[in-house]
Amino acid sequence: MSLKNTWWKILAVLLLAYAVVRGLTIGIPELPIIYESIRNLFYHVGMWFAMMVLFTVSFVYSLRHLRGFRRADDIVASEAAAVALMFGLLGLVTGMIWANYTWGKPWVSDPQLNGAAVSVLAYLAYFVLRGSLDEMHKRGRISAVYNIFAFVMLIVFIGILPRLAASSLHPSSTNDPGMTVAQMDDRLRSVFYPAALGWILLGVWILSIRVRLRRVKDLLEENIEK
Amino acid sequence: MYREIINLIRKDVLLELRQRYALNGILLYVLSTVFVAYLSFGRIVEPATWNALFWIIMLFAAVNAVSKSFVQESAGRQLYYFNLAAPLSIIISKTIYNVMLMVMLSMLNLLIFSLLMDQFIQNWAVFTLTLILGGVGLASLLTMIAAIASRTNNNFSLMAVLSFPIVLPLLLTLMKASQQALGATTLADSAGLLLVILLLSLLPAILSVLLFPYLWQD
């Protein structure tokens, strides 16, 4: 436990503590419709950021797995997808609570919401696929192929389709009481960026613990077989 | 390579013509689902409902038709092909064959639909283009998913689970384009949307060419 390897974990805790305390106490700009619920920005959007980072990690490690078929890469790919899925579900729940207050109901048909739901579905399917393959090497290879295929299609979905839709309730479409990150108030920004970084670091931390746990389990199984 | 692909497609077509399995199956599938929809809906007045129903039936029929691409032949024969042909020619030939199947399927679906239900299409050029491009897109995407699902033990249920989330972007764009064709639109107006469909169709084709070799080795 040297400080060299733990500083970022401490940073994650500090950033999230800052986000919780500061996020709830900071003075916020007056916004119509949203009002105080804008504080959810620090948690909801931060979780989506963490999810996207972790899905990207999963994607990259799936690519690496196909290059060398190493078990270690497969472990990282699947665990990253699992942690990302957890953040995705949390992001959905926080988003639904937020939507309930601002748009009147927890689920509205909105391209961004649908995109999020579809990515969660696709990664649930990824785990169903993993579950139905018994043999380890085959599981790694085939689920890596699906992961890459799904990730690229989902990026297209999230990236292109909201722009095709006539209007989105989310910010970044013009006629909206919210705002884009670029228009964000300085006060909001001073909490939002640290919070997003904190969520991402927390995700990577959980990922590293889960990867180590899986390696230990693997080793134990090998020893039992001997 | 080129000859190999042609021969593989010819093999698939020949198998189909001998067994009449896929085509008759699809014909019956589409006929009975449209009939079920017809009986339960009665008359459809809204073009939007017509459009949604058309594409949902199209999606289910397509998943059904493509899902057996890689499982209708025995494992032994798959191994034979593995030794005989390059993986690239296998996936390309299967995709082309499924494109033909999809285009036929969509024409069939349209025929039965307009026979039983009212018909709202105003711009035939846009609608036909949407159908053909959609056939290409559905075929290339579902062929790859069928290849993935065929490696597992429960092919049929996984096929739906794996394909629905991924096929959704394409399907929604297709619905949008055909919805435009049901109203007043011109080819120039819908050109942008058709271009997006073309891109969404080519992307899975490119991905499957890159990724299929990893599935095929066993």
Side-chain angles (χ1 to χ4, degrees), chain A residues 117-154:
Chain A
V118 165
S119 3
V120 167
L121 275 183
Y123 277 91
L124 286 173
Y126 169 77
F127 283 104
V128 172
L129 175 66
R130 287 190 74 87
S132 67
L133 290 160
D134 308 323
E135 206 236 316
M136 200 173 70
H137 297 289
K138 203 171 158 186
R139 178 167 61 210
R141 203 176 66 233
I142 289 165
S143 58
V145 168
Y146 182 71
N147 193 356
I148 295 165
F149 200 64
F151 183 81
V152 175
M153 296 307 289
L154 288 174

Side-chain angles (χ1 to χ4, degrees), chain A:
Chain A
M1 282 287 275
S2 65
L3 199 65
K4 212 172 136 198
N5 294 322
T6 49
W7 64 268
W8 59 276
K9 297 174 184 171
I10 298 169
L11 183 66
V13 173
L14 287 178
L15 284 176
L16 284 178
Y18 170 78
V20 170
V21 174
R22 193 85 176 120
L24 291 178
T25 54
I26 191 174
I28 48 155
E30 288 271 321
L31 293 165
I33 301 180
I34 297 182
Y35 300 116
E36 292 283 329
S37 75
I38 189 69
R39 296 180 197 282
N40 200 357
L41 174 84
F42 312 131
Y43 314 113
H44 168 67
V45 183
M47 282 169 192
W48 281 125
F49 275 37
M51 179 191 84
M52 286 318 295
V53 168
L54 285 164
F55 276 148
T56 312
V57 168
S58 176
F59 169 69
V60 169
Y61 273 86
S62 280
L63 282 177
R64 283 182 54 163
H65 181 70
L66 284 190
R67 232 181 32 199
F69 301 119
R70 275 194 308 275
R71 168 110 177 107
D73 291 334
D74 183 41
I75 290 180
V76 177
S78 73
E79 293 299 334
V83 180
L85 204 54
M86 187 200 77
F87 272 105
L89 292 175
L90 283 176
L92 270 185
V93 171
T94 49
M96 278 160 83
I97 296 170
W98 197 359
N100 201 16
Y101 285 106
T102 49
W103 299 330
K105 39 187 182 190
W107 196 271
V108 287
S109 187
D110 175 83
Q112 244 136 336
L113 258 173
N114 293 336
V118 165
S119 3
V120 167
L121 275 183
Y123 277 91
L124 286 173
Y126 169 77
F127 283 104
V128 172
L129 175 66
R130 287 190 74 87
S132 67
L133 290 160
D134 308 323
E135 206 236 316
M136 200 173 70
H137 297 289
K138 203 171 158 186
R139 178 167 61 210
R141 203 176 66 233
I142 289 165
S143 58
V145 168
Y146 182 71
N147 193 356
I148 295 165
F149 200 64
F151 183 81
V152 175
M153 296 307 289
L154 288 174
I155 287 295
V156 171
F157 190 28
I158 297 170
I160 291 182
L161 284 198
R163 284 176 182 74
L164 274 181
S167 70
S168 162
L169 287 168
H170 271 82
S172 71
S173 70
T174 44
N175 48 357
D176 190 87
M179 65 199 94
T180 64
V181 174
Q183 303 166 325
M184 216 187 270
D185 190 282
D186 273 342
R187 281 171 294 175
L188 288 180
R189 243 186 266 187
S190 73
V191 182
F192 175 70
Y193 289 132
L197 186 62
W199 288 115
I200 292 170
L201 286 178
L202 182 70
V204 175
W205 189 2
I206 298 174
L207 171 64
S208 72
I209 292 172
R210 288 188 60 131
V211 167
R212 269 156 52 205
L213 194 65
R214 271 281 289 277
R215 284 199 189 127
V216 171
K217 274 184 188 161
D218 268 16
L219 280 177
L220 280 176
E221 265 173 38
E222 271 172 32
N223 281 340
I224 290 168
E225 274 164 22
K226 278 172 197 165

Side-chain angles (χ1 to χ4, degrees), chain B residues 72-89:
Chain B
Q72 65 173 355
E73 293 176 79
S74 68
R77 205 159 342 148
Q78 301 266 8
L79 191 67
Y80 180 55
Y81 297 141
F82 175 74
N83 288 321
L84 221 55
L88 271 191
S89 11

Side-chain angles (χ1 to χ4, degrees), chain B residues 119-140:
Chain B
Q119 205 250 91
F120 300 92
I121 302 166
Q122 288 192 18
N123 190 328
W124 277 94
V126 173
F127 195 85
T128 317
L129 264 176
T130 311
L131 270 190
I132 292 172
L133 287 177
V136 175
L138 282 175
S140 59

Side-chain angles (χ1 to χ4, degrees), chain B residues 196-217:
Chain B
V196 174
I197 295 178
L198 185 68
L199 279 177
L200 281 176
S201 310
L202 288 181
L203 188 68
I206 294 166
L207 279 175
S208 50
V209 164
L210 290 176
L211 291 173
F212 185 74
Y214 294 104
L215 285 179
W216 191 235
Q217 50 177 263

